[in-house]
Amino acid sequence: MRRKFVAGNWKMNKTISEARQLITELLLALKPLEDIDRAVCPPATALPIAARLLEGTGVGLGAQNMYWQENGAYTGELSPRMVAELCQYVIIGHSERRQYFGETDETVNLKVKAALTHGLTPIVCIGESLEENRAGKTAEVVSRQTREGLADLTPEEGARLVIAYEPVWAIGTGLAATAEDANAIHRDVVRPALTEMFGDEVAQGIRIQYGGSVTPENAAGFFSQSDIDGALVGGASLKAESFAAIARAAAGA
Ligand code: PEP
């Protein structure tokens, strides 16, 4: 049985005081949901206050990105050592990073390896664009991103991954994939690729979240599917009540 995992990607939203407010509200709402894993991923400036507020609560903390080098002349970047001082998770290869900041499967792979080396759990994002979807290339793209982004990992490292399948056309658009279509990608494309790389036992244990316009209204439909093991939530994670409602749906699935 894979334990459900719901994570909130706040993107470039919330000042430090706004983050303090949202986390304070969230802690009350998420407290009873101890049967699932829960995490928030605020912007970098809010990570220290978030780490302080979340300590000992069972709610995890993630960064939204990091560089793969340990330190040095990389202006503007955060190193895995810095992220690991505050966080348990790090989102790697979000489609907005791929789209606006030139991230590739190769840089995703370097970041995933660095995260694992430093004891972080990477939440590795994959997903096809609208054009790729319309051209019938979803399986090909998602399979390639999985294999290249996770290349050269050992099965022990594979067992520590979380994957987030996020079709780019569904992110922030209000047009979520259907639960059945998302599940088919998880079950028939992503997990078989993981099985080839890490073996069946490891692949069966890796959580595959769905992301893309998840809301309190549609969440339960996703979580009832065989291979949807949680959600990476953007817009709906910015309000305590909507994020908590999604987490409750996961806990009840
Ligand atoms: C995301 O940014 O990872 C995401 C899924 O966003 P949204 O829920 O707003 O579509």
Side-chain angles (χ1 to χ4, degrees):
M1 260 305 265
R2 295 177 293 268
R3 194 175 150 91
K4 293 267 190 302
F5 178 26
V6 173
N9 172 18
W10 295 6
K11 313 194 191 197
M12 198 173 71
N13 294 292
K14 305 293 178 188
T15 61
I16 293 170
S17 63
E18 290 165 349
R20 182 190 286 118
Q21 172 76 26
L22 177 53
I23 289 174
T24 305
E25 291 169 17
L26 269 176
L27 282 175
L28 284 175
L30 295 179
K31 197 172 169 26
L33 307 176
E34 286 176 349
D35 291 343
I36 62 163
D37 288 339
R38 305 138 288 167
V40 292
C41 304
T45 49
L47 289 175
I49 181 73
R52 226 174 315 139
L53 292 168
L54 295 174
E55 197 174 351
T57 65
V59 177
L61 181 62
Q64 297 175 15
N65 175 41
M66 61 167 213
Y67 199 53
W68 60 83
Q69 297 283 359
E70 300 212 345
N71 50 261
Y74 303 102
T75 303
E77 294 293 321
L78 294 180
S79 87
R81 289 177 61 221
M82 295 165 187
V83 172
E85 282 186 309
L86 297 167
C87 300
Q88 302 78 47
Y89 300 98
V90 58
I91 299 173
I92 303 285
H94 191 280
S95 67
E96 288 150 17
R97 303 280 331 157
R98 295 180 191 251
Q99 191 179 346
Y100 304 130
F101 302 101
E103 297 206 6
T104 63
D105 293 333
E106 201 179 347
T107 60
V108 166
N109 186 241
L110 290 166
K111 291 182 178 198
V112 169
K113 288 176 180 165
L116 291 167
T117 298
H118 289 273
L120 291 157
T121 297
I123 301 174
V124 187
C125 299
I126 55 176
E128 82 287 0
S129 68
L130 184 60
E131 300 74 60
E132 290 162 341
N133 182 283
R134 286 192 174 145
K137 292 188 171 160
T138 299
E140 179 192 324
V141 169
V142 168
S143 177
R144 187 205 71 226
Q145 291 174 335
T146 306
R147 288 165 203 277
E148 295 187 6
L150 307 179
D152 306 321
L153 302 184
T154 64
E156 290 72 26
E157 290 171 324
R160 294 168 48 206
L161 299 168
V162 173
I163 312 290
Y165 168 59
E166 302 203 307
V168 180
W169 47 269
I171 296 180
T173 59
L175 294 171
T178 67
E180 292 74 17
D181 285 351
N183 193 51
I185 299 297
H186 292 207
R187 185 192 56 214
D188 302 337
V189 181
V190 183
R191 208 171 300 283
L194 296 172
T195 301
E196 270 183 43
M197 285 185 286
F198 305 123
D200 191 51
E201 199 183 326
V202 168
Q204 289 301 328
I206 297 176
R207 270 96 56 93
I208 308 175
Q209 300 173 318
Y210 167 77
S213 298
V214 175
T215 62
E217 290 72 36
N218 64 21
F222 288 109
F223 301 140
S224 67
Q225 300 290 320
S226 65
D227 284 71
I228 298 183
D229 307 315
L232 183 56
V233 184
S237 73
L238 296 174
K239 291 218 165 83
E241 196 33 57
S242 48
F243 187 62
I246 291 167
R248 279 195 294 273

